Amino acid sequence: MTDFAQSVKQQADIVKVVESYIRLRKAGATNYSGLCPFHKEKSPSFNVHAVRQFFHCFGCGVSGDVFTFVGKIENVTFPEAVRIVAGKCGIPLPKKEYSSPEEAAEARLRRKLLDLHEAAAAWFEEQLRGPEGAVAREYLTGRGLSAEGIKLFRIGFAPDSFNALRDRLSAMADVETLRASGLFSSKEHDDGTQGPLYDRFRKRVMFPICNESGRVIAFTARTLETGEKAGAKYINSPETPLYSKGQVLFNLDKARAAIRQHEYALLVEGQMDCISVFLRGIQNVIATSGTAFTEHQVNLLRRHTSNVAVNFDPDTAGANAAEKSIGLLTEEGFTIKIITLEDGLDPDRFIRERGLEAYIKAIRGARRQADYLIERARQMFPGASAEQKVKAMNYLLPHIRRLPEKLARDQFAHDAAQKLGIDSAVLREELRQAALKRRDHIEVKSSPLTEAERVLLRALCVDDPEHVEARRMAVEAIAAQPVWFEHLGTFPALQALAERRTADPMEVVTDERQRALLAVALLHETRSPSEEEVAGAIQQAEERTLERQQRELRALIADAERKGDFAELAVLTQQKLGIDKALRQLHGRRVR
């Protein structure tokens, strides 16, 4: 242990340090006890000895000194734990020796930029409280923010001035340092030189962005105007020596203790979503500030949890960002659930309009990653044709491929095949093999026509009076129950032929691929199909449809059982009994 660490340990009070993370109660002359932060328990078995300055948990067996505690709860190295304890105890860090003048200059710049951002944040807060901040205060009140919430997140206001902040900070740093802060802009002259600095943020509500230690390093600014002159709704600080958008998780400084306590992080898309949810009591919430996750952000989060519940906005941009975040988190071994809110509301509006209990219920009803993605695939590629199912599988495969565990990939592939209603054993095996071998695409060649398709295509092309009854049976079945035939690859051709008025069937089918399949059926034709053959083909299509519905209901029943939704379970079970009965009856009168 270094001399500095030894000095910090001698000055630190482990009881006060531990109490900054968990609640302790006096349990004797020198002992304190509380619930262990390192494992789940209902009765306190975690003890701190005030005199000997150590902790021990009788439940999980963890023990150590103040640095051990901070290192474990913050998931940091020993030197970082020493720095954190020193900061909590108000002990100044020793001056660092730098390996080069450039490194020393960079450190000085970072310290100066931190000071500038702290001064800017305080000034913005001051402006919000002043006369010019009235409109901003009204806006924030309308968004459900109290004075305490505004103070906690240090929300401020940038007045409608090009030089007010510049004048306030000009005495703190030279022009080049002010320029490097990202708080100011300037216009480039024709000769390449930069003009005078002016305030970047004007007439906007200011949301500070903090690093993991709680120091302000950047801002997000929301306009209060509308129309063309308002500019972008939100603008962010540019990249600076302090701030890189892909390396910061908004609110992690405030949320990390709750994340460890609840053993998962709630990930939302926007800062107002994050603030609104946090202030209503769900404090393990963080935001990506409108971007998909990056590797650096994943590594930041991994220090605190490996479980994430994602609640991005339901629009296309939000869904795409959610997918990208899911992909990266999956590759890194995170367990992921997806929250979907009713009526397409974002988290901020939902929790304000529906209340905390409704939002907690939505969190508890979060779907597994696989279930969410499979449902999204069904929405993006609706219909029962083989072509749509292949597209849905190819959408899912990159997500399946990212799963590190082979068993998890196999289960995902199995669930996908079941819920997408993939009847073909060939397609199911293609999906399974692609998942196990971590391929992200499959090519499925046009499968040969089934016997039912051959019979129906030929029947619909009948023109001679002797077999017109077979055609009539096929036409009536397709018109009355199109759902029975949707799973067939030739469904578009069957529909077109059922409605044909011209003598030449090849003229009716306009799609080249469908016409080619029709050609295959007709080229191998030796005779017109009988009425019994057509009845058999229709019954086979009906059976396939009922069997697919049966599989889908099994999957939904399993979901309802897992969620404990007994009302939904009763409805689904009744529906399945009806399908089972219909199949038994159909099998009993199967056409031979």
Side-chain angles (χ1 to χ4, degrees):
M1 187 180 295
T2 64
D3 291 341
F4 177 70
Q6 187 66 48
S7 175
V8 171
K9 186 173 181 179
Q10 290 172 352
Q11 297 179 65
D13 181 350
I14 191 172
V15 174
K16 290 184 178 179
V17 172
V18 171
E19 279 185 322
S20 68
Y21 294 95
I22 65 172
R23 182 178 299 173
L24 294 177
R25 291 183 178 178
K26 197 81 182 293
T30 59
N31 288 355
Y32 291 79
S33 67
L35 295 176
C36 180
F38 306 125
H39 79 285
K40 286 185 176 180
E41 62 177 13
K42 294 183 178 179
S43 299
S45 58
F46 181 87
N47 287 264
V48 180
H49 198 293
V51 175
R52 297 187 181 274
Q53 291 288 294
F54 74 88
F55 73 91
H56 177 76
C57 177
F58 291 96
C60 64
V62 175
S63 61
D65 62 10
V66 65
F67 299 137
T68 308
F69 178 84
V70 170
K72 186 171 179 61
I73 201 166
E74 294 279 7
N75 195 18
V76 295
T77 61
F78 176 79
E80 183 66 12
V82 173
R83 188 191 68 77
I84 292 171
V85 174
K88 287 181 178 293
C89 299
I91 302 169
L93 297 175
K95 290 185 178 180
K96 183 178 178 181
E97 294 183 3
Y98 299 99
S99 59
S100 67
E102 291 77 15
E103 185 182 351
E106 183 179 336
R108 285 195 300 271
L109 175 61
R110 288 178 60 84
R111 286 197 298 271
K112 179 57 69 175
L113 295 181
L114 284 170
D115 291 342
L116 287 171
H117 276 81
E118 172 57 34
W123 187 77
F124 289 138
E125 289 179 282
E126 181 184 318
Q127 301 309 302
L128 180 64
R129 294 191 294 268
E132 285 194 72
V135 176
R137 292 196 300 272
E138 184 179 347
Y139 162 78
L140 292 169
T141 302
R143 296 296 296 264
L145 291 178
S146 64
E148 292 77 13
I150 291 170
K151 182 178 180 181
L152 178 64
F153 281 91
R154 302 195 64 184
I155 300 171
F157 175 67
D160 190 13
S161 170
F162 279 88
N163 52 32
L165 180 62
R166 183 195 64 191
D167 293 345
R168 179 66 171 256
L169 302 184
S170 59
M172 293 182 62
D174 58 39
V175 172
E176 289 310 309
T177 303
L178 293 175
R179 192 187 307 278
S181 71
L183 295 168
F184 307 98
S185 299
S186 61
K187 292 183 179 179
E188 185 175 340
H189 295 150
D190 293 339
D191 61 1
T193 60
Q194 294 292 329
L197 296 178
Y198 58 88
D199 294 2
R200 178 184 297 273
F201 305 111
R202 302 178 304 280
K203 208 171 183 180
R204 288 176 177 267
V205 177
M206 303 300 295
F207 298 93
I209 299 172
C210 299
N211 61 16
E212 197 175 358
S213 300
R215 300 292 301 274
V216 179
I217 58 173
F219 292 92
T220 291
R222 190 200 190 281
T223 184
L224 292 174
E225 296 183 327
T226 57
E228 295 180 3
K229 294 183 179 181
K233 186 175 181 180
Y234 288 96
I235 59 174
N236 296 312
S237 293
E239 300 275 313
T240 71
L242 285 183
Y243 173 66
S244 177
K245 192 172 185 179
Q247 296 183 3
V248 179
L249 286 170
F250 182 78
N251 199 48
L252 183 58
D253 57 308
K254 297 181 184 66
R256 55 187 180 173
I259 289 171
R260 288 190 297 270
Q261 178 186 349
H262 296 289
E263 299 184 342
Y264 80 95
L266 172 60
L267 177 64
V268 297
E269 188 178 355
Q271 290 160 346
M272 268 308 303
D273 289 331
C274 184
I275 292 170
S276 188
V277 170
F278 184 94
L279 292 177
R280 282 162 181 80
I282 301 175
Q283 298 190 343
N284 55 327
V285 59
I286 56 175
T288 59
S289 300
T291 62
F293 246 34
T294 66
E295 286 189 33
H296 191 98
Q297 290 170 325
V298 168
N299 292 331
L300 269 180
L301 186 57
R302 194 204 308 280
R303 291 169 50 186
H304 306 284
T305 187
S306 59
N307 303 306
V308 178
V310 179
N311 186 195
F312 279 10
D313 290 352
D315 58 21
T316 302
N320 291 338
E323 283 179 28
K324 291 177 183 177
S325 297
I326 289 168
L328 188 54
L329 290 165
T330 300
E331 286 182 339
E332 297 300 324
F334 278 71
T335 300
I336 307 156
K337 289 190 173 183
I338 291 66
I339 301 164
T340 306
L341 301 178
E342 296 173 357
D343 300 327
L345 298 179
D346 60 34
D348 170 39
R349 187 174 170 190
F350 185 92
I351 202 167
R352 284 190 288 115
E353 293 184 1
R354 309 288 174 86
L356 177 61
E357 288 303 316
Y359 192 67
I360 291 174
K361 183 178 178 182
I363 294 174
R364 289 173 179 161
R367 287 180 289 176
R368 294 185 310 146
Q369 165 193 0
D371 295 336
Y372 168 81
L373 291 170
I374 292 168
E375 181 59 30
R376 183 153 162 75
R378 293 174 66 176
Q379 292 172 356
M380 292 171 66
F381 306 103
S385 70
E387 183 180 0
Q388 289 293 86
K389 289 177 181 178
V390 169
K391 288 179 180 178
M393 289 191 296
N394 281 333
Y395 162 79
L396 291 172
L397 274 170
H399 294 284
I400 298 174
R401 177 183 60 80
R402 291 187 180 100
L403 290 168
E405 298 295 330
K406 183 177 179 181
L407 185 62
R409 296 197 301 273
D410 191 28
Q411 184 62 50
F412 197 153
H414 172 78
D415 291 346
Q418 185 179 58
K419 292 182 179 181
L420 291 173
I422 297 175
D423 302 312
S424 166
V426 175
L427 288 188
R428 291 172 76 94
E429 185 59 22
E430 281 282 348
L431 177 59
R432 181 173 177 273
Q433 289 301 321
L436 293 179
K437 296 175 183 177
R438 306 190 81 169
R439 300 200 307 265
D440 60 6
H441 193 74
I442 61 173
E443 292 289 346
V444 180
K445 297 179 181 179
S446 297
S447 56
L449 295 170
T450 64
E451 184 58 30
E453 286 176 298
R454 290 180 188 277
V455 168
L456 292 169
L457 287 169
R458 285 160 44 212
L460 290 168
C461 292
V462 164
D463 289 314
D464 59 292
E466 184 181 348
H467 296 94
V468 72
E469 183 60 23
R471 169 177 163 72
R472 184 192 63 77
M473 289 173 61
V475 169
E476 288 183 354
I478 291 169
Q481 296 289 348
V483 70
W484 291 355
F485 307 93
E486 286 178 350
H487 68 278
L488 299 175
T490 55
F491 180 57
L494 294 173
Q495 276 193 314
L497 290 168
E499 298 170 358
R500 76 181 175 100
R501 296 289 181 267
T502 62
D504 188 354
M506 297 298 285
E507 290 183 6
V508 175
V509 181
T510 56
D511 181 81
E512 290 186 11
R513 183 175 175 276
Q514 293 289 308
R515 192 186 298 128
L517 292 172
L518 176 59
V520 170
L522 296 180
L523 286 170
H524 291 86
E525 184 179 34
T526 56
R527 60 176 178 79
S528 296
S530 65
E531 294 172 25
E532 290 76 13
E533 288 174 318
V534 173
I538 293 170
Q539 184 166 322
Q540 184 181 352
E542 183 182 0
E543 283 183 18
R544 285 289 184 88
T545 300
L546 290 172
E547 288 167 355
R548 185 172 64 255
Q549 292 172 349
Q550 192 181 56
R551 284 193 298 274
E552 290 174 351
L553 282 168
R554 285 192 192 117
L556 292 172
I557 286 170
D559 284 345
E561 288 176 339
R562 185 164 52 246
K563 295 175 182 176
D565 190 342
F566 298 109
E568 180 70 6
L569 182 62
V571 173
L572 294 170
T573 302
Q574 193 63 36
Q575 291 176 0
K576 182 178 176 295
L577 290 174
I579 296 291
D580 294 344
K581 181 179 179 181
L583 270 172
R584 286 196 301 272
Q585 292 175 343
L586 204 56
H587 293 158
R589 57 182 173 85
R590 178 172 288 160
V591 177
R592 303 293 180 186

